[in-house]
């Protein structure tokens, strides 16, 4: 158990709030306090006795406050091992006071970077003394309690109030673990600031927030989400978010953000099974659902407009897992909340990361997120027939969906409505055949529809199959050595084709 009682505390914090109750308990337990600078002044203003670091070191704070605690008299008191006879002799010889509690709150480096401060201001917020104090105290956890940030103040207050300043070895080791989490996160943030040009090419990522999930992709797999989910969403209702929910939520958010008109989308397994853009939200919902009402069962719903009661009444007819919107009127919420497990998410507008990464084999792969969205001006006609303005609208619409669908993928659309898609196929021909079969099964006519492909056609077979189904306009990246064969077929059958020059593989 190796229980120890706190006798001497060194406090050096940037943020002084939340210290009052801690200092009060320290005073009641007759714990000696050592401090410096603004922290010392704050403690004195509250009327508590505090010993200056400068009194121990016989050196003033120098270099504009850059050097305050970096001294053998301080670090010797923290690192001295009580069970080591040589250490005990040396701290006696050099008149070093032992320290058994270190409380630190580091300079807010990340917040300073986010604020858009100058480089000089950012550099000055790189904590040197504080980070060194944390590492020293954590290293000597057998003798020292380390409180490395404000997040652990509650734990310290519990130690002081309920345990009368006594800690076990296990408690000190747990706090040391948290201390190294704080220091490694802090150093990672500094490294990433300096390494914006990726020189050296090293992968470092640190996220301090964790949200345990019910399970991973399957019930026999454990799952955890690392990140601040609440920064992006308020969960207004429903059961705990799952691993698969999160994957679908991400796919839904990236998809909807590429639309500017009022749009509704339904997703299943990261792919859209229904999308429509309409003047009214109710129309958008009905037409999105019409694309595939079978797959929509148990899906993820997302819109870029406030959900009203009329639309909610229509949506309520379907079983769904999650709905995401920037707002809901009160009546709509009442309708949705009738089912206790429905997850209702209110989206907050925050910047999304531009870099994506995932574990792979014994490492990690990283890439820039695909943020390219081709508009009419980016589509180069390569056939005799030129798409009409309405057809261009559908091409842009279909190409957005194809960008956010698993490869190989083909998307069929008309009048800014998804008619069907073939996704995740090993053959582009199979993806097209799947899309055509689904569209026909749900009663859609493909006459006048457009087709979008995430990659080029190596042969003219896809445009021929599309032509036979009634499709008259095609958008694809182009780039095949046999592009001319697809273009020639289109010219011979009064079809229009445009190239974007941009491939949108998604795996």
């Amino acid at each position: 158990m190796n229980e120890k009682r706190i006798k001497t505390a060194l406090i050096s914090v940037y943020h002084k709030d939340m210290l009052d109750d801690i200092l009060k308990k320290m005073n009641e337990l007759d714990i000696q306090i050592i401090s410096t600078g603004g922290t010392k002044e704050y403690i004195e203003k509250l009327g508590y006795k505090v010993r200056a670091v400068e009194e121990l070191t016989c050196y003033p704070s120098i270099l504009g406050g850059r050097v305050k605690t970096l001294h053998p008299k301080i670090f010797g008191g923290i690192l001295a091992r009580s069970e080591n006879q040589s250490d005990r002799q040396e701290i006696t010889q050099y008149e070093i006071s032992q320290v058994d509690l270190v409380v630190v709150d580091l300079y807010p480096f990340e917040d300073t970077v986010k604020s858009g401060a100058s480089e000089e201001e950012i550099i000055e917020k790189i904590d040197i003394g504080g980070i060194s104090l944390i590492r020293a105290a954590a290293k000597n956890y057998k003798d020292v309690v380390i409180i490395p940030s404000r997040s652990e103040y509650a734990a310290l207050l519990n130690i002081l109030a309920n345990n009368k300043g006594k800690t076990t070895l296990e408690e000190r080791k747990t706090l040391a673990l948290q201390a190294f989490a704080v220091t490694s996160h802090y150093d990672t943030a500094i490294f990433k600031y300096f390494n914006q040009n990726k020189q050296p090419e090293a992968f470092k990522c640190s996220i301090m927030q964790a949200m345990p999930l019910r399970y991973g992709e399957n019930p026999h797999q454990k799952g955890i989400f690392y990140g601040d989910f609440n920064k992006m969403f308020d969960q207004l209702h429903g059961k705990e978010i799952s691993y698969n929910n999160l994957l679908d939520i991400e796919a839904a958010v990236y998809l909807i953000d590429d639309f500017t008109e009022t749009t509704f989308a339904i997703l299943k397994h990261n792919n859209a099974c229904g999308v429509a853009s309409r003047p009214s939200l109710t129309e958008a919902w009905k037409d999105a659902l019409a694309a595939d009402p079978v797959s929509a069962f148990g899906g993820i719903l997302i819109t870029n407009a406030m959900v009203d009661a009329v639309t909610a009444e229509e949506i309520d007819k379907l079983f769904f897992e999650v709905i995401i919107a920037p707002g809901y009127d009160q009546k709509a919420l009442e309708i949705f909340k009738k089912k206790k497990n429905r997850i209702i998410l209110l989206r907050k507008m925050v910047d999304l990361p531009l870099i994506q990464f995932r574990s792979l084999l014994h490492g990690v792969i990283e890439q820039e997120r695909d943020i390219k969205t081709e508009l009419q001006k980016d589509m180069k006609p390569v056939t005799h027939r030129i798409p009409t303005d309405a057809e261009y609208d559908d091409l842009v619409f279909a190409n957005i969906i194809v960008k956010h669908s698993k490869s190989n993928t083909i998307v069929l659309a008309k009048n800014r409505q998804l008619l069907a898609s073939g996704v995740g196929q090993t053959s582009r021909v199979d993806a097209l055949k799947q899309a055509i079969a689904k569209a026909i099964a749900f009663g859609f006519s493909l006459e006048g529809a457009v087709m979008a492909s995430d990659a080029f056609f190596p042969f003219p077979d896809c445009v021929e199959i599309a032509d036979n189904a009634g499709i008259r306009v095609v958008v694809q990246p182009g780039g095949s050595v046999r592009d001319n064969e697809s273009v020639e077929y289109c010219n011979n059958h009064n079809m229009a084709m445009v190239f974007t020059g941009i491939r949108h593989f998604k795996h």
Side-chain angles (χ1 to χ4, degrees):
M1 189 174 183
N2 198 0
E3 190 174 78
K4 289 184 177 290
R5 182 182 178 279
I6 298 168
K7 299 176 183 177
T8 304
L10 172 62
I11 305 177
S12 179
V13 297
Y14 182 84
H15 294 102
K16 314 300 187 293
D17 54 314
M18 299 169 62
L19 273 182
D20 299 32
D21 290 340
I22 289 171
L23 293 167
K24 180 181 178 182
K25 288 297 178 184
M26 284 185 176
N27 184 62
E28 290 174 2
L29 295 172
D30 200 27
I31 295 172
Q32 184 185 46
I33 300 173
I34 302 168
S35 192
T36 187
T39 307
K40 175 178 171 290
E41 292 176 7
Y42 180 84
I43 296 170
E44 288 176 329
K45 284 181 180 179
L46 291 175
Y48 298 115
K49 294 173 61 177
V50 56
R51 192 176 183 190
V53 164
E54 294 81 358
E55 181 184 333
L56 296 176
T57 64
C58 298
Y59 270 89
S61 172
I62 61 173
L63 306 182
R66 282 189 164 197
V67 181
K68 290 179 282 196
T69 57
L70 295 169
H71 193 282
K73 288 270 190 175
I74 300 300
F75 281 84
I78 296 169
L79 287 164
R81 295 159 291 187
S82 62
E83 296 180 353
N84 186 296
Q85 184 178 353
S86 177
D87 284 6
R88 293 199 303 271
Q89 290 174 345
E90 288 185 358
I91 64 172
T92 300
Q93 178 184 351
Y94 296 109
E95 299 181 334
I96 297 173
S97 300
Q98 278 195 279
V99 175
D100 38 38
L101 168 64
V102 174
V103 182
V104 176
D105 180 55
L106 297 168
Y107 290 163
F109 177 81
E110 289 181 280
D111 289 343
T112 305
V113 173
K114 290 176 184 176
S115 73
S118 67
E119 183 174 48
E120 182 180 359
E121 291 175 291
I122 291 170
I123 297 304
E124 286 307 310
K125 286 298 184 291
I126 297 177
D127 206 312
I128 302 300
I131 209 87
S132 302
L133 290 170
I134 293 173
R135 291 179 64 87
K139 178 177 181 176
N140 199 27
Y141 69 87
K142 289 185 177 180
D143 290 296
V144 182
V145 176
I146 175 60
I147 301 299
S149 73
R150 286 186 293 173
S151 298
E152 285 70 49
Y153 282 5
L156 175 57
L157 192 58
N158 179 64
I159 290 169
L160 297 172
N162 299 324
N163 299 334
K164 299 189 183 301
K166 295 178 182 178
T167 60
T168 64
L169 179 62
E170 183 179 358
E171 288 170 334
R172 294 193 296 277
K173 190 171 184 179
T174 297
L175 287 168
L177 171 64
Q178 182 61 22
F180 286 120
V182 169
T183 59
S184 63
H185 178 83
Y186 197 79
D187 286 339
T188 296
I190 296 169
F191 172 81
K192 291 177 79 171
Y193 170 76
F194 277 94
N195 196 41
Q196 294 176 50
N197 294 324
K198 297 291 183 182
Q199 296 293 333
E201 292 182 347
F203 178 82
K204 294 183 184 293
C205 182
S206 177
I207 301 173
M208 296 293 282
Q209 301 100 324
M211 182 172 78
L213 305 173
R214 296 200 304 272
Y215 48 78
E217 280 186 287
N218 301 291
H220 64 277
Q221 296 170 266
K222 291 183 179 180
I224 299 175
F225 171 69
Y226 292 100
D228 189 356
F229 186 79
N230 295 328
K231 182 179 180 181
M232 189 168 180
F233 301 101
D234 284 332
Q235 182 170 350
L236 306 180
H237 184 73
K239 62 185 177 182
E240 183 181 341
I241 299 287
S242 74
Y243 183 99
N244 292 330
N245 288 156
L246 286 171
L247 293 176
D248 284 328
I249 288 168
E250 181 191 55
V253 165
Y254 286 146
L255 170 65
I256 205 71
D257 280 357
D258 274 346
F259 291 98
T260 55
E261 297 177 274
T262 297
T263 301
F264 224 117
I266 307 167
L267 286 88
K268 204 67 176 294
H269 297 292
N270 310 157
N271 293 301
C273 59
V275 186
S277 295
R278 293 289 182 265
S280 81
L281 189 62
T282 304
E283 289 179 275
W285 163 252
K286 288 180 178 179
D287 288 344
L289 180 62
D292 188 348
V294 175
S295 295
F297 184 85
I300 306 295
L301 317 182
I302 190 166
T303 182
N304 53 9
M306 174 172 283
V307 179
D308 57 81
V310 174
T311 307
E313 289 281 6
E314 293 296 325
I315 296 171
D316 189 51
K317 299 172 184 177
L318 177 76
F319 168 75
F320 63 88
E321 283 268 329
V322 180
I323 185 166
I324 308 162
Y328 306 86
D329 70 25
Q330 189 58 41
K331 181 62 177 176
L333 283 177
E334 291 172 7
I335 292 168
F336 289 146
K337 287 181 178 181
K338 289 188 296 184
K339 301 290 177 62
K340 66 176 183 178
N341 287 331
R342 280 178 176 167
I343 297 170
I344 305 173
L345 297 180
L346 177 67
R347 186 177 174 192
K348 306 171 187 176
M349 299 312 295
V350 297
D351 291 334
L352 295 168
L354 297 177
I355 298 297
Q356 296 175 315
F357 58 87
R358 63 182 179 186
S359 60
L360 182 73
L361 300 175
H362 282 283
V364 172
I365 52 174
E366 178 183 287
Q367 68 170 355
E368 296 175 343
R369 181 160 60 86
D370 185 359
I371 58 173
K372 178 68 175 173
T373 301
E374 295 78 53
L375 304 176
Q376 179 175 340
K377 65 182 178 61
D378 305 307
M379 296 178 175
K380 175 186 175 184
V382 293
T383 52
H384 299 322
R385 182 162 104 71
I386 307 299
T388 65
D389 287 343
E391 287 171 336
Y392 266 122
D393 286 345
D394 282 343
L395 290 174
V396 171
F397 177 89
N399 204 50
I400 289 172
I401 300 171
V402 93
K403 166 187 167 182
H404 293 281
S405 302
K406 298 285 187 180
S407 300
N408 288 311
T409 183
I410 293 287
V411 166
L412 308 179
K414 184 166 60 175
N415 299 329
R416 290 170 299 147
Q417 177 187 21
L418 173 63
L419 303 185
S421 60
V423 298
Q425 299 299 305
T426 53
S427 160
R428 197 161 303 282
V429 170
D430 286 345
L432 174 56
K433 289 179 177 178
Q434 181 190 63
I436 291 171
K438 287 189 69 174
I440 292 171
F442 290 112
F444 290 108
S445 168
L446 293 176
E447 289 294 330
V450 306
M451 174 173 73
S453 175
D454 60 337
F456 64 65
F457 299 119
F459 305 101
D461 46 7
C462 280
V463 290
E464 181 178 354
I465 294 169
D467 175 37
N468 292 332
I471 296 162
R472 294 289 173 263
V473 189
V474 180
V475 58
Q476 60 140 321
S480 168
V481 295
R482 304 176 72 164
D483 275 343
N484 63 302
E485 295 181 17
S486 294
V487 173
E488 185 179 352
Y489 182 92
C490 289
N491 283 333
N492 291 336
H493 294 80
N494 196 32
M495 295 177 69
M497 180 182 286
V498 298
F499 287 177
T500 64
I502 302 294
R503 189 182 74 182
H504 288 297
F505 271 170
K506 184 181 179 188
H507 296 101

